[in-house]
Amino acid sequence: MKIDLTDTTASKINKALVKGRRAIGTPAVGMVLTLVIVTDEENAYDALKAANDASREHPSRTIVVVKRASRSPRDRTQSRLDAEVRLGAEAGTGETVVLRLYGEVADHAQSVALPLLLPDAPVVVWWPVGSPSDPAKDPLGALGQRRVTDSYSSEKPVEELRIRAENYEPGDTDLAWARITPWRSMLAAALDQVDCEVISAEVSGEEFNPSVELLAMWLADRLHVHVRRGVSGGPGLTQVRLETTGGPVTLHRPDGAMATLTLQGQPDRAVALKRRETSELMAEELRRLDPDDTYASALRFGVDRLGGTPSSADKSPLPTRTPASAVSDSAAKKSASAATGGDVSRPTPAQMPPAKGTAK
């Protein structure tokens, strides 16, 4: 069901939501959160599709805020709010309100969105593109307990990571971080199976892919070793190589779907590491709404310290290497738990069958 409202108000939109629920026979509201999407007209469709798919796991009220550019100085002085109210099959398992703001009202989008938030429910704000430099201080970002950005959509992803580190506030997160969750989980499980000391590491992937930097910073932050950032043809992340006293540990994914895990003295193992859709990434982000301390720690490590060279802003030496016992328990406890934020399950036996004759 779809209801179009022209030159409307937040009060009329709320009335349309109630009327629509009654019309389709679902008066009860069973949604768990409000998802506010701040985007432009060009990216609104893809963002809304991803949100609708994610709502199958997290029923929510989705509010899409689209600020329309005015064509002339006269139009900029004329404020108008148009809305689309979607319910039923049009809105996944929740409700969707698409707001189009014209003129001066576009500068006060938070005042329009605030009356439409679900009462006593958490709020997540997502910028698919064009995120503010300080999401927590953005008027719309201030409404949310969780603020989701995507540094991959930035023209300068590495610079975007620097800005995110400078302005980080608890509750900030990045879809580029969610993209490496399976890699972090797999590497933590792999380090559980070896008894050695990690000496150094190298992470390779596309040149302009911030997930590569984030994975490298996570390894450097958790293992206390120098990590080199390598460049490959992609797609996305392609390889992580850990040099240890017991031989190299390699996780290589050349095609964006299946990866090969290589441990010294053990047969190679094929593991599933498929690149995930945006809807899957959003569903993961909505599973936990508390601050992600592991992301914050990795982000603050700094891209300028990768490759073993501290940045000019931070000349302090890297910490000493983590011994193998700490990597085994700590990349499982520290890496799998701390590293994955305590919210990532270990690979199933089907994903990583144990090697014959391997002692735990």
Side-chain angles (χ1 to χ4, degrees):
M1 181 178 183
K2 182 177 176 182
I3 303 172
D4 291 321
L5 301 171
T6 303
D7 196 8
T8 187
T9 63
S11 176
K12 292 179 181 179
I13 295 171
N14 269 318
K15 290 178 180 178
L17 285 167
V18 175
K19 180 180 178 181
R21 284 197 297 267
R22 289 175 178 171
I24 63 176
T26 57
V29 180
M31 291 164 287
V32 298
L33 58 88
T34 301
L35 175 61
V36 180
I37 304 174
V38 188
T39 185
D40 53 23
E41 200 70 64
E42 179 182 358
N43 296 281
Y45 175 82
D46 290 338
L48 189 52
K49 184 178 183 300
N52 286 344
D53 291 343
S55 73
R56 303 184 189 283
E57 185 175 335
H58 310 278
S60 59
R61 173 177 290 179
T62 302
I63 301 173
V64 184
V65 178
V66 180
K67 299 179 182 181
R68 298 296 298 269
S70 302
R71 297 182 179 179
S72 67
R74 178 180 296 178
D75 291 338
R76 295 190 193 103
T77 63
Q78 297 176 354
S79 298
R80 192 175 93 236
L81 170 63
D82 294 345
E84 293 178 19
V85 176
R86 304 178 185 180
L87 301 100
E90 294 274 354
T93 59
E95 301 173 342
T96 298
V97 179
V98 181
L99 304 174
R100 290 184 172 86
L101 290 72
Y102 300 81
E104 294 180 351
V105 72
D107 297 327
H108 305 281
Q110 73 280 6
S111 300
V112 179
L114 184 60
L116 302 176
L117 305 180
L118 290 173
D120 302 321
V123 178
V124 178
V125 184
W126 173 32
W127 292 268
V129 294
S131 56
S133 59
D134 193 343
K137 293 183 179 179
D138 181 82
L140 281 168
L143 299 177
Q145 287 78 41
R146 190 84 167 185
R147 296 165 294 276
V148 184
T149 58
D150 190 354
S151 54
Y152 184 74
S153 66
S154 172
E155 292 184 2
K156 299 179 179 179
V158 174
E159 182 62 30
E160 188 76 6
L161 291 179
R162 293 190 181 100
I163 295 173
R164 291 279 163 265
E166 291 172 1
N167 299 318
Y168 175 83
E169 293 289 343
D172 292 353
T173 190
D174 192 333
L175 290 187
W177 175 253
R179 289 186 181 96
I180 63 173
T181 296
W183 286 80
R184 292 184 288 132
S185 179
M186 198 67 65
L187 290 168
L191 289 174
D192 250 349
Q193 303 178 47
V194 295
D195 185 14
C196 55
E197 183 178 344
V198 179
I199 301 171
S200 64
E202 180 177 0
V203 181
S204 300
E206 293 173 332
E207 183 176 1
F208 300 106
N209 191 320
S211 294
V212 183
E213 272 82 13
L214 283 170
L215 183 58
M217 289 190 290
W218 169 69
L219 285 170
D221 181 50
R222 290 297 165 186
L223 299 180
H224 299 165
V225 297
H226 295 305
V227 180
R228 179 177 177 271
R229 202 281 198 207
V231 178
S232 69
L237 268 161
T238 54
Q239 179 172 282
V240 175
R241 181 183 177 88
L242 305 176
E243 297 292 345
T244 75
T245 54
V249 175
T250 305
L251 185 59
H252 180 55
R253 185 187 68 177
D255 59 0
M258 294 297 296
T260 301
L261 176 65
T262 303
L263 297 174
Q264 192 74 12
Q266 301 184 23
D268 292 352
R269 308 173 189 182
V271 295
L273 272 181
K274 183 179 181 296
R275 302 186 75 189
R276 297 182 293 168
E277 300 291 335
T278 305
S279 58
E280 298 175 81
L281 302 175
M282 281 304 299
E284 176 185 321
E285 289 296 344
L286 297 178
R287 287 186 197 123
R288 52 171 298 172
L289 301 179
D290 55 316
D292 191 338
D293 295 333
T294 306
Y295 165 68
S297 181
L299 186 65
R300 286 169 172 161
F301 181 87
V303 293
D304 297 320
R305 298 180 68 192
L306 295 179
T309 305
S311 69
S312 58
D314 186 357
K315 293 295 185 181
S316 59
L318 291 172
T320 56
R321 294 200 301 264
T322 302
S325 59
V327 173
S328 177
D329 290 333
S330 186
K333 296 172 185 174
K334 215 177 190 182
S335 281
S337 174
T340 57
D343 187 49
V344 178
S345 59
R346 295 290 182 80
T348 63
Q351 291 177 305
M352 183 186 290
K356 293 183 180 179
T358 303
K360 177 65 179 173

